[in-house]
Amino acid sequence: MSGQKHKTIRDVASLARVSTATVSRVLNGTGTVRPRTAERVQQALTQLGYVPNGWAQAMAVGNGINLMGMVVPDIQNPFFAAIYAGVSEEVRSHGMIIWMANSGDDPAQERTELYSLQRYRPHGIVLTPTHLTENLAVIEKIPTPVCLVDRRLAVDQWDLVLIDNKHGARQAAKTLIEAGHRDVAILAGPQDTTPGRERFEGFREVLQEEGLALPPAYVGLGDFRESSGYRIGRELLSLDHPPTAIFSCNNLMTMGLLQAIQATPGASLGESVSVIGFDDIPISTFTTPPLTVVSRPMKEMGIQAGRLILDRMDHPTRAKETIILMPHLVIRGSERLAAAKPRV
Amino acid sequence: MSGQKHKTIRDVASLARVSTATVSRVLNGTGTVRPRTAERVQQALTQLGYVPNGWAQAMAVGNGINLMGMVVPDIQNPFFAAIYAGVSEEVRSHGMIIWMANSGDDPAQERTELYSLQRYRPHGIVLTPTHLTENLAVIEKIPTPVCLVDRRLAVDQWDLVLIDNKHGARQAAKTLIEAGHRDVAILAGPQDTTPGRERFEGFREVLQEEGLALPPAYVGLGDFRESSGYRIGRELLSLDHPPTAIFSCNNLMTMGLLQAIQATPGASLGESVSVIGFDDIPISTFTTPPLTVVSRPMKEMGIQAGRLILDRMDHPTRAKETIILMPHLVIRGSERLAAAKPRV
DNA sequence: GCTCAAAATGATAACGCTTACTTTTTGTAT
DNA sequence: ATACAAAAAGTAAGCGTTATCATTTTGAGC
């Protein structure tokens, strides 16, 4: 039911007719307690359904609870969900639990979330910052190990787990061109984030190297959300001279883009337009043709971040470490039009 | 960085040359402090980057932190993710944060998670129990409002948010039959859970009413996981006389089933076999034909659960409430074979 | 039965904060 | 200047634990 209050160690102590210290000893297996007494305490414990108060314990012991904080732009995004899974896997063995918070990619909200998180004194924080500079001062003040994931900050002072975005984008661009495409568009992410910028750069570089033009109309600036993928997808496809291939810079925008293709009369994946997406998504094997994507070791990123934080907890002064993981292309067919002949 | 410790209210007090009580007053806006003093305190506050210790606050005030607990079988499952979103939306306005835990559909793990959750004294717990009876004793001892979502317990003592599973399953079965199918199979869930049982029942009822046989070979007992959907899907499709339609009882198994169809030579969604799934999934609009599903108001379930808990926090003694939400069929095409003619 | 070390238990001070309650300061009326 | 109420600031208890120390109990050896 719900009326009662939680029992305290004092309730247990008085029921078992011992001092709170003895109950505590039984609970934690510290010190020595006579079997007879321990038995009485155990009985009181189960009879009352006592569960120790975690905060009080943490305060008494003085080193907080085994809490790991995590602040990411969007928990619902499978990419961050996978990072969560990785961090979780890595720290679980240390008896840690994870406190997830959502910054909504908004610096103000990020500030709020970092603040409320710190109120509960986590042992470390895994952070995907929303902005290069906006919250630098706040983050610098955090007296707890911080590990940045997926995005840098303007100051290079923290442990870092990154993806070689440029490399991934270059592979995508090259693959599209090798598949015969000349009119290649990009559905880019926000240019004030590292992933957004780096993927755009890699893409543009390849086009330049191959001597292909990138007209302004073929550059769609999205916000990494599904809605912008749809909107920009519709725009690109309704151009007088629509692109024959689109590189979409993240998973959610790819979802939107695919819907835009379905919604545009005459447009058809693999028939009139090719797509390569950045990040694998659950649907990628179910489209026709299946989706070619740049895939990153998402869970591995979380594992590394967790490892870096745990490591820094033990060695607070070691030099910052930067881990750059490589994405790889998963070719499934959507990079190529049914009609097109490979250049070979 | 990371070396330092968190500042305490005492650090602030001594820097501002006031007592801790005054700092507390400034922090909480209680009592009266002269502007000059408040100014000094504010300065110390920001200079030290002080963040109050949430547990200590909660303990001093004596009513815990604004924590809502949530224990579900699988956080990764979009269904529970949506419930989370609903609960989150409902309780956020009360300044609450949510502590998510994963029971893995395993009673032992559920027990563990409920225990660790209670250590942090949540104001309420939203629970999708793993088993009808296994953890009854534990759950009855929880001295905090509990609201069950999606599944009942053997004892009917808690607030409840359910779906009319039978109704949804009946709709699915009827629709398949109306589309001309006579050989209809079911990919059922575990029969020791309410959703698993009720969906099976509804399905079986309709077949009986329509005078159709349900041979044992057409009943696949899965465990609500993708792998079992795949395995059983392969089995059903490789029967000498395979079904022409399959009703899959949850989202993950549907994913597995779709993969099984793709992997089976000669099988093809909408050509050789029709599918209706229970629960909408992101991929449902991307398959060809798009997937017909029984869709439930998932987020709404979370909202209701959140509401019930908040309500019970204010009225601990009110009678238990049961909310049953209706699923509805979303017809997209996969319930019908391309060759088949509607019976009309 | 008595002694005395060893073992078991109890009393109590933290931990960081809030909040009655008490004391000091302020400012106004004389 | 003095008195005095009101306002501001300080003191200390308490929230539920653990850990240190002090005290009591136990039981072995005589």
Side-chain angles (χ1 to χ4, degrees):
Chain A
M1 298 298 277
S2 75
Q4 322 123 56
K5 286 277 282 182
H6 273 280
K7 304 299 179 188
T8 75
I9 201 171
R10 254 189 284 274
D11 297 324
V12 180
S14 73
L15 179 60
R17 300 191 313 282
V18 296
S19 71
T20 61
T22 301
V23 178
S24 173
R25 276 188 283 257
V26 172
L27 250 80
N28 303 296
T30 54
T32 45
V33 178
R34 246 186 322 181
R36 273 187 43 213
T37 324
E39 173 65 18
R40 273 218 316 284
V41 173
Q42 279 296 358
Q43 238 171 306
L45 242 31
T46 55
Q47 179 178 336
L48 295 177
Y50 170 78
V51 178
N53 182 321
W55 314 314
Q57 281 183 319
M59 243 185 47
V61 172
N63 61 2
I65 66 174
N66 275 342
L67 218 201
M68 178 76 67
M70 208 170 155
V71 181
V72 297
D74 176 16
I75 308 178
Q76 314 267 34
N77 185 323
F79 172 61
F80 295 111
I83 292 184
Y84 167 85
V87 176
S88 174
E89 180 177 311
E90 179 70 14
V91 304
R92 177 141 305 182
S93 56
H94 291 244
M96 289 223 161
I97 52 130
I98 298 181
W99 183 306
M100 251 301 212
N102 213 327
S103 70
D105 243 327
D106 168 28
Q109 195 180 338
E110 177 178 47
R111 218 158 32 231
T112 312
E113 295 294 349
L114 280 175
Y115 182 83
S116 18
L117 188 53
Q118 283 186 79
R119 288 167 51 110
Y120 302 105
R121 303 290 189 264
H123 284 344
I125 297 180
V126 175
L127 172 67
T128 298
T130 56
H131 194 275
L132 270 168
T133 56
E134 194 87 32
N135 284 335
L136 258 182
V138 176
I139 298 170
E140 274 172 336
K141 279 251 171 69
I142 297 176
T144 259
V146 170
C147 177
L148 306 180
V149 175
D150 192 44
R151 304 188 193 163
R152 294 172 176 280
L153 282 172
V155 171
D156 211 18
Q157 185 182 37
W158 293 273
D159 288 332
L160 224 45
V161 177
L162 298 173
I163 278 291
D164 195 332
N165 285 301
K166 211 171 181 174
H167 179 74
R170 289 185 59 98
Q171 278 187 293
K174 273 190 185 151
T175 307
L176 287 175
I177 293 172
E178 274 167 22
H181 292 284
R182 316 290 299 168
D183 302 323
V184 187
I186 182 171
L187 178 44
Q191 294 301 296
D192 53 353
T193 66
T194 12
R197 262 219 312 270
E198 291 175 356
R199 291 173 203 169
F200 192 8
E201 267 172 32
F203 177 82
R204 189 162 39 192
E205 269 182 22
V206 171
L207 259 64
Q208 212 151 29
E209 289 166 18
E210 300 280 336
L212 292 182
L214 181 58
Y218 280 10
V219 175
L221 273 182
D223 60 5
F224 279 159
R225 274 187 278 246
E226 185 165 341
S227 55
S228 71
Y230 182 81
R231 184 172 44 74
I232 296 172
R234 298 295 311 240
E235 286 169 17
L236 288 173
L237 294 171
S238 60
L239 288 174
D240 285 343
H241 188 76
T244 64
I246 302 176
F247 170 49
S248 165
C249 283
N250 94 326
N251 51 1
L252 295 184
M253 294 198 302
T254 307
M255 299 274 291
L257 173 60
L258 291 179
Q259 276 169 340
I261 294 175
Q262 289 196 324
T264 304
S268 162
L269 182 65
E271 303 284 341
S272 73
V273 62
S274 289
V275 168
I276 293 186
F278 205 106
D279 269 343
D280 214 342
I281 39 183
I283 71 159
S284 48
T285 59
F286 291 104
T287 56
T288 36
L291 204 63
T292 294
V293 295
V294 179
S295 173
R296 341 176 229 184
M298 304 187 284
K299 196 171 171 189
E300 180 64 21
M301 293 179 76
I303 292 177
Q304 292 295 335
R307 189 182 60 73
L308 285 175
I309 294 227
L310 291 176
D311 186 51
R312 179 167 296 280
M313 278 165 46
D314 296 335
H315 313 98
T317 57
R318 72 146 163 72
K320 72 183 163 59
E321 202 168 311
T322 300
I323 292 179
I324 299 185
L325 298 171
M326 282 293 159
H328 64 279
L329 204 65
V330 179
I331 297 193
R332 298 206 180 92
S334 72
E335 81 288 356
R336 190 175 296 273
L337 293 183
K341 296 280 171 291
R343 296 202 289 181
V344 185
Chain B
M1 299 300 278
S2 75
Q4 321 125 57
K5 285 279 280 181
H6 272 279
K7 304 299 179 190
T8 75
I9 203 173
R10 257 190 281 276
D11 297 324
V12 180
S14 74
L15 179 59
R17 301 190 314 282
V18 295
S19 73
T20 61
T22 302
V23 177
S24 172
R25 277 188 283 258
V26 172
L27 249 76
N28 302 297
T30 55
T32 46
V33 319
R34 253 183 317 183
R36 275 187 41 213
T37 324
E39 172 67 16
R40 276 218 315 285
V41 173
Q42 280 296 357
Q43 240 171 307
L45 242 30
T46 56
Q47 179 177 338
L48 295 177
Y50 170 77
V51 178
N53 183 322
W55 314 316
Q57 281 184 318
M59 242 183 50
V61 173
N63 61 2
I65 66 173
N66 276 340
L67 217 200
M68 178 77 67
M70 208 170 153
V71 182
V72 297
D74 178 14
I75 309 180
Q76 315 266 35
N77 185 324
F79 171 63
F80 295 111
I83 292 183
Y84 167 85
V87 176
S88 175
E89 181 177 310
E90 178 71 12
V91 304
R92 177 142 307 179
S93 57
H94 291 246
M96 287 222 163
I97 52 131
I98 297 180
W99 182 306
M100 244 315 204
N102 212 329
S103 69
D105 243 329
D106 169 27
Q109 196 180 336
E110 177 179 48
R111 219 159 28 231
T112 313
E113 295 294 348
L114 280 174
Y115 182 83
S116 14
L117 188 54
Q118 284 187 77
R119 287 167 52 109
Y120 301 106
R121 300 292 188 262
H123 284 345
I125 297 181
V126 175
L127 172 66
T128 298
T130 56
H131 194 275
L132 271 168
T133 55
E134 193 88 30
N135 285 334
L136 258 182
V138 177
I139 299 170
E140 275 172 336
K141 277 253 172 68
I142 298 177
T144 260
V146 169
C147 177
L148 307 181
V149 176
D150 193 44
R151 302 189 194 163
R152 297 172 174 279
L153 282 171
V155 171
D156 210 17
Q157 185 181 37
W158 293 274
D159 287 332
L160 224 46
V161 177
L162 298 174
I163 280 290
D164 193 333
N165 285 301
K166 210 170 184 179
H167 178 75
R170 289 185 60 98
Q171 279 187 293
K174 274 189 186 153
T175 306
L176 287 175
I177 294 172
E178 273 166 24
H181 292 285
R182 316 289 304 169
D183 302 324
V184 188
I186 183 169
L187 179 44
Q191 294 302 298
D192 53 354
T193 67
T194 13
R197 261 217 312 268
E198 292 175 353
R199 291 173 201 169
F200 193 6
E201 269 172 31
F203 177 83
R204 190 162 36 188
E205 267 182 21
V206 171
L207 258 66
Q208 213 151 28
E209 288 165 18
E210 300 280 333
L212 292 182
L214 180 59
Y218 280 8
V219 176
L221 273 182
D223 59 6
F224 280 157
R225 274 188 279 246
E226 184 166 342
S227 55
S228 72
Y230 181 81
R231 183 173 44 74
I232 296 171
R234 297 294 312 239
E235 285 170 17
L236 288 174
L237 294 170
S238 60
L239 289 174
D240 284 344
H241 188 74
T244 64
I246 302 176
F247 170 49
S248 164
C249 283
N250 93 327
N251 51 2
L252 295 184
M253 293 198 303
T254 307
M255 300 274 291
L257 172 60
L258 291 177
Q259 277 170 340
I261 294 175
Q262 289 196 325
T264 304
S268 163
L269 182 64
E271 304 282 340
S272 73
V273 64
S274 289
V275 168
I276 293 187
F278 205 105
D279 270 342
D280 214 344
I281 39 182
I283 71 159
S284 49
T285 60
F286 293 103
T287 56
T288 35
L291 204 63
T292 294
V293 295
V294 179
S295 173
R296 340 177 230 184
M298 303 185 283
K299 197 171 171 189
E300 180 65 20
M301 293 179 76
I303 292 178
Q304 293 295 337
R307 188 181 63 70
L308 284 175
I309 293 226
L310 291 177
D311 185 51
R312 180 168 294 282
M313 277 164 46
D314 296 335
H315 312 98
T317 57
R318 73 147 163 71
K320 72 182 165 57
E321 203 169 310
T322 300
I323 292 180
I324 299 185
L325 298 170
M326 281 294 159
H328 65 278
L329 205 64
V330 179
I331 298 196
R332 299 208 180 89
S334 71
E335 81 286 356
R336 189 175 296 274
L337 294 184
K341 296 278 172 285
R343 295 204 284 183
V344 183

